[in-house]
Amino acid sequence: MIVLRNISKIFDHGKAPITAVDKVNLSVEQGQIYGIIGYSGAGKSTLIRLLNGLEKPTSGNVTVNGHDISAAKGEALRQARLKISMVFQHFNLLWSRTVSENIAFSMQIAGTPKAEIRTRVAELIELVGLTGRENAYPSQLSGGQKQRVGIARALANSPDVLLCDEATSALDPQTTDQILDLLLDINRRFSLTIVLITHEMHVVRKICDRVAVMEDGRIVEEGDVLSVFTHPQQPITRQFVRQVSQYAEEEAFNQELASDLTGHVIKLTFTGHSTHKPIVGELTLRYGLPFNILHGKMNQTAHGVFGQLWVHVNATQDQLSNILADLQQSGIESEVIKHG
């Protein structure tokens, strides 16, 4: 669906050239929700503008649904853009137009017949949950309602790809979750490919299938969300993972363990079906040892649950080795945080 091959974008405004995107390779499959996360200045906004031809790459090429966006010009580019819509952080609504008129605007530009526009607008208003607000102006809407209008407008021409540029950054946490639920529902109903950029790991965890982490114009880590959350490889990725509140507790908790307990402390990581196994009870029965549960947490992603559990046990070295082997056999990852 979307393929970026060795894409670079260098801005040269007479001073020292700025490399905003540096040799990026990326693939997004049809129907995926793909997250691109990075701090300000990482290059993610430039990258998303390369996807719809608002920026042209200095080198490399961008292909979207079989169209070479990086090479397209004039009418070919305009036609390609009709199938690549964008949702913006600050809504970008026309303040002198009503909800219905904002949604209809892109269809009017595309030359869609009036009767078809009316039908499509009514469908989209119901889809995004704005029934009864058809004649309201943007100044009369909440932030979440404005973004719903933005999403409906972006869907008006039945795009193949929806780009979301920090679409929830201006919203409170509750409204953010509602908008993310809406995007997830749209993705599942229509198999719409969604690429979203964000600096919030909660957004990635809640709805994305895969995620790319950007730093200094490069993708430094990429993978399915569950793997990136449970095994972050790069320091910046670990920083983003810690944004989710439970992870902020982990470092302080580990430090306390190191000083306060004797015996072994084992960190268990569960994914998928293994989260439902009564593993502590099974270990207690098998080895006749008391396993003390010290700390635990569960997290939900779009592709399943993962959890972590810290247990304490006084065991011999041989028993510990057997316990770790049993955990591995059960599909549960383990790490000895503290040796007795």
Side-chain angles (χ1 to χ4, degrees):
M1 165 55 77
I2 300 173
V3 180
L4 280 68
R5 291 191 179 93
N6 209 29
I7 285 290
S8 292
K9 178 63 180 180
I10 301 172
F11 293 100
D12 189 354
H13 299 299
K15 298 181 181 180
I18 298 173
T19 302
V21 177
D22 190 6
K23 299 180 179 67
V24 166
N25 290 281
L26 194 67
S27 295
V28 180
E29 295 181 6
Q30 166 69 39
Q32 276 189 335
I33 302 181
Y34 197 103
I36 300 172
I37 191 167
Y39 292 117
S40 297
K44 58 189 188 297
S45 291
T46 301
L47 185 64
I48 206 169
R49 288 168 64 85
L50 290 165
L51 294 180
N52 62 4
L54 290 175
E55 296 285 355
K56 292 292 185 181
T58 305
S59 61
N61 70 292
V62 179
T63 304
V64 179
N65 203 19
H67 300 284
D68 188 346
I69 300 297
S70 51
K73 296 178 182 179
E75 181 62 17
L77 180 58
R78 191 183 78 84
Q79 290 298 322
R81 280 180 178 162
L82 287 176
K83 293 299 182 180
I84 307 172
S85 289
M86 183 173 272
V87 178
F88 301 91
Q89 178 180 1
H90 295 297
F91 321 125
N92 287 15
L93 301 181
L94 299 170
W95 294 87
S96 62
R97 288 175 174 252
T98 65
V99 167
S100 292
E101 290 167 343
N102 265 281
I103 297 170
F105 185 63
S106 62
M107 288 184 284
Q108 292 168 346
I109 292 175
T112 306
K114 288 184 179 180
E116 190 176 327
I117 289 175
R118 285 194 297 271
T119 301
R120 182 66 172 154
V121 167
E123 292 172 352
L124 290 168
I125 284 174
E126 182 178 359
L127 175 67
V128 301
L130 287 174
T131 301
R133 304 296 285 162
E134 296 90 336
N135 298 315
Y137 288 90
S139 61
Q140 300 171 308
L141 303 176
S142 67
Q145 289 173 329
K146 290 173 188 173
Q147 196 57 287
R148 289 174 186 271
V149 178
I151 292 170
R153 179 186 58 189
L155 296 175
N157 287 311
S158 302
D160 298 320
V161 177
L162 183 64
L163 307 178
C164 298
D165 187 359
E166 300 278 10
T168 60
S169 295
L171 306 175
D172 62 76
Q174 182 177 359
T175 306
T176 291
D177 279 346
Q178 292 170 354
I179 294 299
L180 293 177
D181 286 339
L182 175 60
L183 290 172
L184 189 58
D185 179 57
I186 290 167
N187 166 261
R188 289 174 174 172
R189 282 199 203 191
F190 307 113
S191 295
L192 181 65
T193 304
I194 299 176
V195 178
L196 59 86
I197 66 170
T198 183
H199 60 272
E200 301 171 296
M201 202 62 171
H202 167 70
V203 172
V204 171
R205 185 190 69 177
K206 187 173 177 67
I207 69 169
C208 290
D209 302 306
R210 294 185 71 84
V211 60
V213 182
M214 287 195 74
E215 185 177 28
D216 296 329
R218 290 179 173 269
I219 291 179
V220 297
E221 189 162 350
E222 195 272 348
D224 68 85
V225 169
L226 202 54
S227 296
V228 170
F229 256 91
T230 54
H231 301 96
Q233 300 298 309
Q234 299 297 320
I236 188 171
T237 310
R238 289 192 284 271
Q239 289 177 26
F240 279 121
V241 169
R242 291 189 196 105
Q243 283 183 358
V244 184
S245 60
Q246 298 96 320
Y247 287 87
E249 303 167 2
E250 182 179 325
E251 288 185 356
F253 179 74
N254 286 343
Q255 291 171 2
E256 292 175 8
L257 288 178
S259 58
D260 295 344
L261 292 173
T262 59
H264 306 291
V265 176
I266 309 171
K267 175 184 171 183
L268 312 181
T269 300
F270 306 78
T271 57
H273 294 299
S274 65
T275 56
H276 303 296
K277 293 181 179 179
I279 189 65
V280 174
E282 290 177 357
L283 291 173
T284 298
L285 291 172
R286 188 173 301 158
Y287 292 97
L289 297 172
F291 284 79
N292 303 315
I293 297 175
L294 302 172
H295 182 63
K297 57 178 183 266
M298 298 283 284
N299 289 278
Q300 180 73 47
T301 72
H303 285 275
V305 178
F306 70 95
Q308 292 177 323
L309 189 69
W310 285 259
V311 298
H312 169 250
V313 63
N314 283 302
T316 66
Q317 193 60 47
D318 286 343
Q319 287 174 322
L320 178 63
S321 297
N322 291 332
I323 289 167
L324 298 178
D326 285 346
L327 289 168
Q328 184 178 15
Q329 185 70 27
S330 298
I332 297 169
E333 297 182 30
S334 60
E335 178 186 356
V336 180
I337 300 296
K338 183 178 186 299
H339 286 275

